[in-house]
Amino acid sequence: MSIKMTREELAASINYKFPKTNWMDTPVVFKKGTYNNAAVPDSITYVNQPNPRKWQPYEDDWKLPENWQTIILEGLRERLHKFRSLKLFMDICVRCGACADKCHFYLGSGDPKNMPVLRAELLRAVYRKDFTTAGKLMGKIAGARELTFDVLKEWFYYFYQCTQCRRCSVFCPYGIDTAEITFIARELMNLIGVNIDWVMTPVANSHRTGNHLGIQPHGFVDSIEFAVDDLEEITGIRVQAPINKKGAEVLFVTPSADYFGEPHYYTLLGYLALFHEVGLDYTWSTYASEGGNFGSFVSHELMKVLNAKIYAEAKRLKVKWIIGGECGHMWRVLHQYMDTLNGPADFLETPVSPITGTKFEHARSTKMIHITEFTADLIRHNKIKLDPSRNDHWHATFHDSCNPARAIGLFEEPRYILKHVLNKFTEMPDNTIREQTFCCGSGAGLGTEENFEMRMRGGFPRANAAKYVNEKYGVNVVACICAIDKATLVPLFNYWVPGLEVAGVHEFVGNALVMKGEKPRELDMRQQPLHGKEEESKNV
Amino acid sequence: MGLLFSIFTFIILLAIAFIGAYVEGLHYLFGIVLPYIAFAVFIIGIVVRIIKWAQSPVPFRITTTCGQQRSLDFIKQNKIDNPFTGLQTFIRMFFEIILFRSLFRNTKAGIKENKLTYGANKWLWLFSIVFHYSFLIIVLRHFRFFTEPVPSFVPFIQEIDGFFQIGLPIIYLTTIGITVGLLYLLARRIFDNQVRYISLASDYLPLFLILSIAITGILMRHFFKVDLTPVKQLTLSILSFQPILPADVNPIFYIHLFFVCTLLIYFPMSKLVHMPGIFLSPTRNLANNNRAKRHINPWNSDFKMHYHTYEEYEDEFREVMRDVGLPLEKEEKNVD
């Protein structure tokens, strides 16, 4: 991977000392490996966003519109009128410092501007300068500063060094949510075309093809058929995987990484096996082939536009309700934004599990439930037969993904499943799980190669906790319910905790699920020999 | 720099206070006019601030969930940290405001031999609680100067506050509480590198102001043993809008009053608005029932951007979709 420092060197480079200079007088340095590339003009053009052009953050000229300050300040004024959260969070922070050491980027970089309080002060200082009397009159001494190009550089660097994980907002005595501030700061920067490629290109792809990877319908069909073949090889059963099927009971939407990435793919096999086994009448969609929403990493409008496809497709296919797969930020959007942005989903019905009869009352408005809610309910009602010993080659822990944790409170559903499909399960330390969980360090669009050092720094607290259970209890796999986790925890652990694997919850479900008419299982979803089977196959 | 500026500002304020206290001709200004202005600024300022906040809508329900959600009946919901109903949300807010629940979670991270450690860190919570409650009780105790007859809760509070009966006049627990609390908050701003680095002038100034109010109060009660009869005459006359300036008010009282007035005026334009602000915080005061109850964004229709419809999608990909046997909405133009 693109980092020269060893993990020992990187860890040793972290210290929590403070520079001699005041933070306002400490300019940003674009150090290779710690920031993301700018968005390419084609992607910006495709979704009709402002100022498409070629530029890079390390350059001296960002080719901004002449009146860029005015555009941002007017944008800020508009958003102060539109978001009470913003207005309040600008005014009420007392700088008590409770958030300071809660951010994974601060813990991994020691850079004071990664303390959530200072990240927010970057915006607050500009707010004070232009929207408060004290700031107008007294300037710097009142904590105000003018929006200069240098300030914009800091905005770009630090607001794209926040993964909107909201851990700080758990500890803030006033509930100030840095994700909300980052959200709006990114939205403001987007007004002048300051955004990153790993967000904007997936947005453009998703807009056009329905998914971030730009997979066209035939590619999607191929992937699913490929998975059906693989599952047949493992289980001896050829499952049905209907696509764009009208009149199915359920629409299933999952992040596109599930059918193209590893180890996501093994989770996909788990979904396929489970839906077949319980006889769920469902359909995939090529048009709504993405649960993830990179639009939510840049603006509320793009979030809405990308999310709109899910309800539109549910309506077109005349399904009754929707299940969402394992994904983090996707679930933040589905849970906290979708109904408001694209609802009401009055053409759908309150989800009722056709297998158990459970009515999911808590989703009676959005009509969409999380796959772990669906599966936990199946297990509770003994509707599936499980053989947890098929996962005996795994000793798992569970990494709570930021968004399902702090935007939903989805803590026990996945754990309930894991405890039924696995024999060996050990939690990481309390300060690092559930609502205090640490981000993978690569969320909110930051999971790029060029940003690799900063990702390893941001993921350090998570890796550190995982390493603890790995060394002390022999944990060899981290289970999670987020596609970005699955993509980025792998290199993170390769770097910090070599040998530690990453898997989706439904991969373990797929392994443990005893299917009617299956052949004796010798391989797990990764097509590796099951525990004990390795010896047997040698003896034969 | 923030600290020096605050000290400098404070010295100027102190000088003004002394002038007001010892130049008799200014007593009318400092004893009557200023309190009226300060009180008006405080009330109007807070109301305006709250109205300004309230004018902006809450477009999305962005609760921060700190416990298990309500979902399946065999999974126990954490009703305080992840409220689903209005009552549960009220309880969450109650704990937040009355007990500073989020601050109680505070931890201290450290790095040792390349490993991160997290320790409990309740000091900030403890001293914040001590300070805020002492301040509140002191304000309530002061009702004996503003009311005639004195409401019965005042002597009750006084009795509890002076429970240990130490000293004469009795030293109140809150006198010690507010002083110790403020000194802790000030000390960590000055001596804790992390907190000093983020502190602005406006973070020190309120501490100085409240500390000087406390100290002048202590001086009046325990050292100068100020006769409070004329003070009460003054406050009652002000409250009845028939202000009379009594003779024989000890100058130290004017200093005390000046700092109180300064604090009142400063309050609505400073970070001290966190007091009303906490009630409006959308990550805390909204129920996490997003999937059960639709939240309305009043400006949702401002989003004008067109989403890519299925029809447009099928138009672009119809050929390849047909090739792999996907059902189509429109079966037009056969390429063969």
Side-chain angles (χ1 to χ4, degrees):
Chain A
M1 282 293 173
S2 57
I3 185 165
K4 288 195 189 96
M5 268 192 266
T6 66
R7 58 175 172 273
E8 288 77 18
E9 286 166 353
L10 187 62
S13 76
I14 301 167
N15 68 67
Y16 305 129
K17 295 190 185 111
F18 289 84
K20 291 264 181 292
T21 48
N22 182 286
W23 65 265
M24 284 195 195
D25 306 319
T26 313
V28 64
V29 181
F30 283 94
K31 191 185 153 216
K32 209 164 186 282
T34 67
Y35 61 92
N36 291 277
N37 291 341
V40 300
D42 283 356
S43 296
I44 298 185
T45 309
Y46 193 80
V47 281
N48 220 359
Q49 299 297 298
N51 201 14
R53 77 230 176 267
K54 272 195 179 139
W55 70 285
Q56 283 304 341
Y58 54 81
E59 291 168 350
D60 292 331
D61 182 5
W62 284 11
K63 299 170 192 160
L64 302 172
E66 215 158 277
N67 58 340
W68 67 269
Q69 279 114 326
T70 317
I71 297 175
I72 286 196
L73 292 175
E74 280 313 306
L76 180 56
R77 182 186 312 280
E78 184 193 338
R79 281 155 187 81
L80 285 165
H81 289 304
K82 284 185 162 178
F83 293 88
R84 186 182 301 167
S85 52
L86 176 65
K87 220 175 194 179
L88 202 67
F89 296 163
M90 290 295 103
D91 285 336
I92 64 174
C93 176
V94 300
R95 287 161 297 281
C96 73
C99 60
D101 57 358
K102 308 304 180 287
C103 174
H104 51 285
F105 279 117
Y106 177 64
L107 292 174
S109 71
D111 184 338
K113 278 179 210 161
N114 273 324
M115 295 190 288
V117 50
L118 283 195
R119 201 186 308 283
E121 288 289 307
L122 291 175
L123 182 58
R124 248 180 233 129
V126 171
Y127 162 77
R128 289 193 195 104
K129 178 78 190 164
D130 285 271
F131 299 92
T132 69
T133 318
K136 275 179 200 159
L137 294 177
M138 287 157 47
K140 199 171 158 185
I141 198 69
R145 70 175 174 167
E146 206 176 320
L147 179 60
T148 61
F149 182 50
D150 285 332
V151 171
L152 180 68
K153 281 180 166 178
E154 288 183 37
W155 278 25
F156 177 79
Y157 192 69
Y158 292 105
F159 289 122
Y160 280 101
Q161 215 163 91
C162 164
T163 45
Q164 310 181 334
C165 83
R166 306 171 95 214
R167 189 171 191 266
C168 49
S169 98
V170 168
F171 294 90
C172 175
Y174 314 117
I176 295 172
D177 180 6
T178 307
E180 189 76 351
I181 292 167
T182 295
F183 224 120
I184 288 175
R186 288 185 181 191
E187 203 167 287
L188 293 173
M189 286 188 283
N190 186 51
L191 296 175
I192 54 168
V194 172
N195 38 32
I196 66 171
D197 197 50
W198 213 63
V199 169
M200 293 312 282
T201 296
V203 164
N205 282 338
S206 194
H207 192 60
R208 174 169 174 244
T209 66
N211 59 73
H212 293 148
L213 300 171
I215 297 161
Q216 299 186 5
H218 50 303
F220 180 88
V221 172
D222 282 350
S223 311
I224 298 293
E225 278 176 2
F226 197 77
V228 169
D229 290 344
D230 274 350
L231 191 63
E232 187 177 12
E233 209 158 307
I234 298 164
T235 64
I237 294 172
R238 187 152 190 91
V239 302
Q240 294 288 318
I243 302 171
N244 294 1
K245 177 185 161 190
K246 278 200 179 171
E249 183 175 352
V250 173
L251 170 66
F252 182 62
V253 180
T254 202
S256 56
D258 282 0
Y259 48 88
F260 249 76
E262 245 178 283
H264 314 66
Y265 180 69
Y266 313 121
T267 298
L268 173 78
L269 297 181
Y271 303 145
L272 288 171
L274 179 73
F275 293 156
H276 167 86
E277 186 55 27
V278 298
L280 185 72
D281 175 20
Y282 81 108
T283 181
W284 296 84
S285 161
T286 60
Y287 167 68
S289 51
E290 180 64 75
N293 191 325
F294 275 35
S296 74
F297 300 153
V298 65
S299 80
H300 289 87
E301 179 151 56
L302 288 171
M303 181 199 322
K304 181 184 178 185
V305 162
L306 297 187
N307 177 264
K309 293 182 180 186
I310 296 178
Y311 277 154
E313 186 68 337
K315 197 169 190 175
R316 184 183 76 87
L317 295 176
K318 299 190 174 67
V319 300
K320 290 184 181 156
W321 51 285
I322 315 170
I323 298 180
E326 297 181 7
C327 185
H329 76 280
M330 150 180 165
W331 267 100
R332 171 127 207 247
V333 176
L334 297 175
H335 186 80
Q336 296 198 325
Y337 293 94
M338 175 165 73
D339 207 9
T340 302
L341 286 174
N342 293 312
D346 44 14
F347 49 91
L348 296 172
E349 295 172 14
T350 301
V352 177
S353 171
I355 299 104
T356 65
T358 300
K359 195 168 192 183
F360 297 96
E361 280 289 352
H362 68 290
R364 61 179 173 264
S365 182
T366 59
K367 278 89 169 178
M368 184 154 186
I369 64 165
H370 195 282
I371 180 79
T372 60
E373 294 167 346
F374 178 73
T375 309
D377 176 63
L378 289 173
I379 295 173
R380 174 71 176 183
H381 290 88
N382 283 318
K383 295 292 178 186
I384 48 177
K385 204 173 158 199
L386 297 166
D387 176 4
S389 73
R390 290 180 185 174
N391 281 315
D392 278 355
H393 53 312
W394 294 121
H395 183 165
T397 190
F398 184 66
H399 158 67
D400 289 275
S401 310
C402 312
N403 287 300
R406 288 182 281 259
I408 304 181
L410 193 86
F411 298 125
E412 297 308 327
E413 294 85 347
R415 285 178 171 81
Y416 185 85
I417 298 171
L418 288 174
K419 284 168 188 168
H420 284 84
V421 298
L422 278 157
N423 285 321
K424 288 178 278 185
F425 178 80
T426 306
E427 293 277 14
M428 287 182 277
D430 281 346
N431 287 318
T432 70
I433 54 169
R434 293 199 167 84
E435 74 277 7
Q436 298 196 31
T437 189
F438 275 111
C439 180
C440 61
S442 303
L446 312 186
T448 62
E449 273 302 303
E450 69 263 19
N451 192 34
F452 200 77
E453 181 188 326
M454 196 43 73
R455 287 169 55 196
M456 294 303 102
R457 290 183 179 279
F460 175 60
R462 171 39 75 225
N464 204 256
K467 190 174 178 166
Y468 175 79
V469 288
N470 168 262
E471 286 174 352
K472 192 162 179 186
Y473 304 104
V475 165
N476 62 358
V477 67
V478 174
C480 59
I481 46 170
C482 168
I484 291 179
D485 281 337
K486 286 169 201 164
T488 67
L489 286 177
V490 173
L492 183 78
F493 293 150
N494 277 343
Y495 186 75
W496 289 111
V497 203
L500 186 61
E501 304 270 351
V502 179
V505 167
H506 280 76
E507 178 183 340
F508 301 113
V509 173
N511 286 341
L513 186 70
V514 179
M515 299 170 77
K516 287 178 277 297
E518 69 178 6
K519 69 178 187 189
R521 290 252 197 127
E522 305 213 324
L523 301 173
D524 67 4
M525 295 292 139
R526 300 186 178 205
Q527 306 214 25
Q528 290 166 350
L530 290 176
H531 194 66
K533 302 287 176 188
E534 209 164 359
E535 285 304 302
E536 266 173 48
S537 57
K538 268 183 206 159
N539 293 342
V540 169
Chain B
M1 190 181 72
L3 177 60
L4 290 178
F5 182 82
S6 274
I7 293 174
F8 180 69
T9 311
F10 176 72
I11 291 171
I12 292 175
L13 288 171
L14 193 65
I16 298 172
F18 265 91
I19 294 167
Y22 288 97
V23 177
E24 216 153 300
L26 292 173
H27 281 182
Y28 193 85
L29 182 67
F30 278 72
I32 290 169
V33 179
L34 187 62
Y36 275 122
I37 293 173
F39 205 67
V41 169
F42 177 72
I43 298 290
I44 295 168
I46 295 275
V47 170
V48 166
R49 175 71 61 175
I50 293 172
I51 289 173
K52 273 187 174 174
W53 286 332
Q55 275 172 341
S56 298
V58 179
F60 303 104
R61 204 189 274 139
I62 55 163
T63 317
T64 302
T65 56
C66 303
Q68 172 61 39
Q69 67 160 344
R70 170 145 125 189
S71 60
L72 300 158
D73 55 13
F74 59 92
I75 289 174
K76 194 169 177 285
Q77 180 205 352
N78 181 335
K79 290 179 183 161
I80 298 175
D81 294 314
N82 195 337
F84 188 84
T85 65
L87 179 66
Q88 290 166 6
T89 312
F90 178 82
I91 293 168
R92 182 186 204 190
M93 287 301 284
F94 179 84
F95 280 112
E96 199 62 80
I97 289 163
I98 301 299
L99 296 175
F100 303 0
R101 188 177 175 85
S102 291
L103 196 56
F104 190 70
R105 292 192 184 98
N106 198 17
T107 54
K108 180 92 191 144
I111 191 162
K112 217 175 169 183
E113 286 155 12
N114 296 351
K115 279 181 186 144
L116 284 169
T117 55
Y118 312 95
N121 182 13
K122 310 285 185 214
W123 295 113
L124 178 59
W125 174 84
L126 180 70
F127 284 101
S128 297
I129 284 275
V130 166
F131 160 68
H132 282 89
Y133 275 96
S134 296
F135 201 175
L136 175 67
I137 291 168
I138 290 168
V139 170
L140 293 176
R141 269 206 277 108
H142 274 64
F143 271 77
R144 71 190 162 116
F145 303 123
F146 309 145
T147 48
E148 191 58 51
V150 175
S152 59
F153 75 88
V154 177
F156 176 71
I157 290 174
Q158 257 178 298
E159 201 160 312
I160 294 176
D161 204 357
F163 184 73
F164 288 109
Q165 310 237 341
I166 307 164
L168 198 74
I170 291 166
I171 299 171
Y172 291 120
L173 290 175
T174 50
T175 304
I176 300 165
I178 197 168
T179 314
V180 171
L182 283 165
L183 288 176
Y184 174 82
L185 294 175
L186 188 59
R188 77 185 275 282
R189 276 220 186 271
I190 297 172
F191 299 113
D192 182 319
N193 287 338
Q194 203 166 38
V195 188
R196 188 177 59 233
Y197 198 72
I198 59 177
S199 293
L200 299 171
S202 59
D203 294 318
Y204 298 102
L205 191 60
L207 292 172
F208 288 140
L209 282 177
I210 302 171
L211 200 56
S212 48
I213 293 170
I215 290 170
T216 48
I218 293 168
L219 287 175
M220 274 196 285
R221 181 174 168 85
H222 296 285
F223 295 90
F224 293 85
K225 318 241 172 177
V226 171
D227 178 11
L228 295 171
T229 322
V231 171
K232 185 156 182 175
Q233 280 174 355
L234 174 66
T235 51
L236 287 179
S237 75
I238 287 176
L239 285 169
S240 60
F241 292 98
Q242 289 163 329
I244 304 160
L245 202 61
D248 312 326
V249 177
N250 191 308
I252 185 100
F253 168 75
Y254 285 104
I255 299 177
H256 184 69
L257 184 65
F258 175 77
F259 282 120
V260 171
C261 292
T262 312
L263 185 71
L264 288 174
I265 293 168
Y266 183 60
F267 199 106
M269 63 176 96
S270 71
K271 68 168 190 176
L272 300 175
V273 293
H274 66 268
M275 191 252 266
I278 172 76
F279 290 88
L280 297 178
S281 182
T283 62
R284 294 290 188 272
N285 73 4
L286 295 168
N288 175 39
N289 56 2
N290 295 52
R291 279 189 284 160
K293 199 167 169 238
R294 183 165 184 244
H295 182 84
I296 304 294
N297 171 10
W299 50 266
N300 203 39
S301 56
D302 285 7
F303 295 119
K304 300 288 182 220
M305 191 174 163
H306 166 76
Y307 78 92
H308 198 62
T309 63
Y310 176 82
E311 289 68 30
E312 290 160 341
Y313 168 87
E314 192 184 290
D315 283 345
E316 181 173 357
F317 295 115
R318 186 166 294 109
E319 299 312 318
V320 290
M321 289 176 81
R322 184 188 293 120
D323 288 347
V324 291
L326 286 170
L328 295 172
E329 291 285 335
K330 274 199 266 179
E331 273 295 350
E332 61 187 24
K333 64 168 178 185
N334 206 328
V335 262
D336 296 325

